[in-house]
Amino acid sequence: MPSREIDRIEGTGIPVRGDNIDTDRIIPARFLKAITFDGLGDHLFEDERAATAEHPFSNPAYQGAHVLLVNENFGSGSSREHAPQALKHWGIEACVGESFSEIFSGNSLAIGLACVTVTHAEVDRLMAVVERAPSTRLVLSLRDRTLEAAGRQVPVGIEGSVRDALLTGTWDASGMLLDDFDVVRGVASRIPYIRGF
Amino acid sequence: MGKTLLQKVWDLHTVRRLPTGQTQLFIGLHLIHEVTTPQAFDMLRARGFTVAFPDRTFATTDHIVPTLDQARPFQDPLAEAMLSALERNCAEFGIPLWNLDSDRQGIVHVIGPELGLTQPGMTIACGDSHTSTHGALGAVAIGIGTSQVRDVLASQCLPIDPLKVRRIAVNGALAAGVFAKDVVLEIIHRLGVQGGVGHAYEYGGSAVDRMSIDERLTICNMSIEGGARVGYVNPDQTTFDYLRGRPFAPADDAFDRAVLWWRSIASDGDANYDDVVEFDAAAIEPRVTWGINPGQSVGVSERIPSAGDAGSSSMSTGAVAEALEFMGFTGGAPIKGTKIDVAFVGSCTNSRVSDLREAARIAKGQRVAPHVKALVVPGSQAVRAVAEREGLDQVFRDAGFEWRGAGCSMCLAMNPDRLEGREVCASSSNRNFKGRQGSPTGRTLLMSPAMVAAAAIAGEVIDVREVIATAEAL
């Protein structure tokens, strides 16, 4: 079952400044008490938004954005897929930042949400551009590994395997992992603790 | 050139290289709980898949468990819906579930080692970031999200990129009153909250070699707080002695054969590491977090940093200013003397019998300060039973602590245990993120269980070494 091929992501941006924005801030634990991911987008950054009137996700100018701009170590903390799910349900299709926590980027890939890296200076510039002119269109090309905004093209970083999974529509790995399942059984049968000591 | 444990375990479990370049890694043990699985099972059904290895999959309930009134249905209908979903899913797919009525129920990262499910050389996955805990027994244990839970259910495999290995050698002896928790807080403070991204942390050195499995579990547990998805300690005699006789450990002759293999998968003496970092155990003092991520800690004798004090990203001017503002603390003030409102001993980091013993040693014959609400939440029903046999529950109750049922409780407050308003909590858990303990404005100070008990009694942060010294002088 191939998933959707993802190459170009185009749209306006939304900047969320700050390093180490953890998944508890992205989606507080109380919203994990649900047996579906439906409606999570409504609770994105809920406590942060309540604490500050100027939170970007409360700002009408950024509604409809597809590209999230962040700083260092975004999505640290809990393994809750609810964090990228909430972003995706809200409408985010790509995260552009200085760096991401490993579990967050893995969870994002598993749901077809692209996470790419740019330098501190570039993300700072992009944030400033978007803050000044929220209607600025950003164009991310995974094939070319570039992000274009306001007439300037910058290179983006992305793990080769992640880029490949998005471009070829194999980011939803279920089907691929089940291909040739006899090989899986074969590997299992050679592992001492499965085979029995 | 020799190999690390990570490389050996990785090679053994590699199914194939995927077209994307990632490794398809076989997962030897899949642990599941009620919070990150309902959607995974729904996706599984929607695609017509089944559970590939139900005999390698085990379930318990921990995150939403009320620690006072556990009567069903739960008072919280959302919590009830989550546990009911887990019960239905486990029944449908033939997965063993240790539910509230089982003496094996508890925090998933406490019961895995306790039951002997967690063993050296295994690959382990669980929909929880603190899965790194299981590395204390020499396993490669990986925290995953819900779609990956679906994939492991369906195929018992994960697509994953290889990890580098950083060896963290902690040499020398810890002073009295300094614990594994302080060691890991020091490591995260020095290497940063994202220092471990892309790495597995291999913990060793004479201090770690001398540690019990419980202490190693505490250290591996917080690997993820340092950005490392995987943390492990090479299996040794301490590991084997711990596992012998546990319900899921090999028995009799098979145990001896297992030990031979377990020894062989430890890192070779001439293994090649991507990086080596050393720590001096004797220089570590009890640590307390003052900020909003686990890298923001100081020694208990130190002062809270000021914005502008140089450091890593968790210590950048902006990060320090943001943390001080949220915490309502003043840069340059001593951390000692910080008033607390709540004391919490529990969580997958520090809720094992040895943790409760250390806390009880401090609490014995004392009284919790009148303004402090203090609770002790054992990590599992088995921990609770042993603690009660030893009379620890009575020590805590006599001192004014509440003695609760087993679960994650106030570590992440998905059950009724939570902070209110701006309360400050001395906590033996693992995360001091904004809002982590259930109140969006609540404040968390991470520390060892002994430090939590000492703070509960004093009503403020104090140095547990002074409490111990006073007790010994009497």
Side-chain angles (χ1 to χ4, degrees), chain A residues 1 18-20 22-25 29-30 32-37 47-48 72-73 76-82 85 99-103 106-107 109-111 159-162 164-165 168 170-181 183-185 187-188 190-194 197, chain B residues 12-16 18-20 22 24 26 28 38-39 42 47 49 52-53 56 76 78 81-82 121-123 127-129 143-148 150-151 154-155 157 159 161 163 193-194 197-198 224 229 250 254 257-258 261-262 292-293 313-314 322 412 414 431 433-434 436 440:
Chain A
M1 185 177 1
D19 295 334
N20 305 311
D22 58 74
T23 53
D24 277 87
R25 281 158 78 171
R30 62 184 181 278
L32 273 53
K33 265 197 280 181
I35 55 172
T36 73
F37 290 127
D47 293 341
E48 301 265 289
E72 265 191 30
N73 200 28
S76 56
S78 146
S79 72
R80 62 189 70 164
E81 184 178 306
H82 307 66
Q85 287 277 4
S99 62
F100 297 90
S101 106
E102 211 163 306
I103 302 184
N107 283 339
L109 175 65
I111 62 170
E159 198 71 48
S161 58
V162 171
D164 202 57
T168 59
T170 51
W171 44 269
D172 183 331
S174 290
M176 200 166 54
L177 296 172
L178 285 166
D179 281 350
D180 212 355
F181 200 67
V183 180
V184 175
R185 295 203 181 277
V187 167
R190 286 198 303 275
I191 296 173
Y193 63 86
I194 304 233
F197 289 106
Chain B
L12 179 67
H13 293 79
T14 293
V15 174
R16 61 180 175 134
L18 293 166
T20 56
Q22 286 188 304
Q24 178 169 353
F26 184 80
Q39 298 92 335
D42 284 346
R47 294 172 183 204
F49 294 156
F53 287 77
R56 305 303 308 169
D76 178 349
L78 298 173
M82 299 200 85
M122 278 185 172
T123 48
D128 190 279
S129 61
I144 57 177
T146 298
S147 294
Q148 294 168 325
R150 171 202 67 206
D151 292 346
S155 69
C157 293
D161 281 309
L163 294 167
V193 291
Q194 62 170 333
V197 172
I224 186 62
R229 196 177 192 181
R257 289 192 292 274
W261 183 66
W262 291 341
I292 55 172
N293 69 55
S313 82
S314 57
E322 182 189 9
L412 84 170
M414 286 189 73
R431 290 190 171 136
F433 297 153
K434 289 179 177 178
R436 172 74 180 183

Side-chain angles (χ1 to χ4, degrees), chain A residues 66-77:
Chain A
H66 290 324
V67 181
L68 176 67
L69 301 170
V70 296
N71 292 110
E72 265 191 30
N73 200 28
F74 185 77
S76 56

Side-chain angles (χ1 to χ4, degrees), chain B residues 16-168:
Chain B
R16 61 180 175 134
R17 196 181 146 94
L18 293 166
T20 56
Q22 286 188 304
T23 303
Q24 178 169 353
L25 195 70
F26 184 80
I27 299 300
L29 175 66
H30 189 197
L31 301 170
I32 64 172
H33 59 85
E34 73 283 9
V35 172
T36 54
T37 58
Q39 298 92 335
F41 281 105
D42 284 346
M43 289 190 275
L44 200 71
R45 270 188 289 268
R47 294 172 183 204
F49 294 156
T50 188
V51 176
F53 287 77
D55 55 331
R56 305 303 308 169
T57 312
F58 298 89
T60 192
T61 177
D62 51 11
H63 283 65
I64 53 91
V65 170
T67 56
L68 278 177
D69 178 9
Q70 299 190 339
R72 302 285 297 276
F74 295 144
Q75 287 172 17
D76 178 349
L78 298 173
E80 178 61 31
M82 299 200 85
L83 183 51
S84 300
L86 183 68
E87 288 165 341
R88 279 196 309 275
N89 290 326
C90 287
E92 180 179 341
F93 292 103
I95 297 167
L97 164 64
W98 294 306
N99 211 333
L100 293 171
D101 58 0
S102 165
D103 58 9
R104 292 181 170 180
Q105 176 266 335
I107 304 177
V108 64
H109 310 310
V110 174
I111 68 163
E114 187 173 83
L115 291 170
L117 278 169
T118 304
Q119 294 171 19
M122 278 185 172
T123 48
I124 301 177
C126 174
D128 190 279
S129 61
H130 292 111
T131 304
S132 58
T133 312
H134 303 263
L137 289 120
V140 172
I142 304 163
I144 57 177
T146 298
S147 294
Q148 294 168 325
V149 170
R150 171 202 67 206
D151 292 346
V152 178
L153 289 170
S155 69
Q156 203 66 21
C157 293
L158 269 182
I160 190 164
D161 281 309
L163 294 167
K164 295 179 187 169
V165 181
R166 171 174 298 147
R167 180 166 167 87
I168 297 178

Side-chain angles (χ1 to χ4, degrees), chain A residues 69-182:
Chain A
L69 301 170
V70 296
N71 292 110
E72 265 191 30
N73 200 28
F74 185 77
S76 56
S78 146
S79 72
R80 62 189 70 164
E81 184 178 306
H82 307 66
Q85 287 277 4
L87 290 166
K88 195 179 175 185
H89 277 78
W90 190 89
I92 298 299
E93 294 175 17
C95 302
V96 178
E98 289 172 61
S99 62
F100 297 90
S101 106
E102 211 163 306
I103 302 184
F104 178 85
S105 20
N107 283 339
S108 296
L109 175 65
I111 62 170
L113 181 67
C115 294
V116 300
T117 58
V118 294
T119 63
H120 172 77
E122 285 300 348
V123 83
D124 197 52
R125 190 191 64 83
L126 286 163
M127 285 173 164
V129 166
V130 168
E131 282 161 352
R132 219 168 28 242
S135 62
T136 305
R137 300 213 48 92
L138 292 87
V139 182
L140 173 67
S141 166
L142 296 178
R143 194 169 305 282
D144 300 339
R145 291 190 169 96
T146 56
L147 177 67
E148 200 180 312
R152 182 182 159 103
Q153 198 180 68
V154 297
V156 300
I158 182 167
E159 198 71 48
S161 58
V162 171
R163 173 174 171 267
D164 202 57
L166 291 165
L167 285 175
T168 59
T170 51
W171 44 269
D172 183 331
S174 290
M176 200 166 54
L177 296 172
L178 285 166
D179 281 350
D180 212 355
F181 200 67
D182 285 344

Side-chain angles (χ1 to χ4, degrees), chain B residues 285-290 298-304 329-330 332-340 445 447 451 454-455 458-467:
Chain B
E285 64 168 342
R287 295 193 72 84
V288 181
T289 61
W290 54 268
V298 287
V300 66
S301 70
E302 295 180 316
R303 290 171 183 278
I304 297 168
F329 291 167
T330 309
I335 191 78
K336 207 153 62 173
T338 304
K339 290 271 181 298
I340 68 154
L445 310 180
M447 57 189 85
M451 283 282 288
E460 60 184 41
V461 175
I462 60 165
D463 187 340
V464 73
R465 292 174 299 183
E466 292 168 18
V467 178

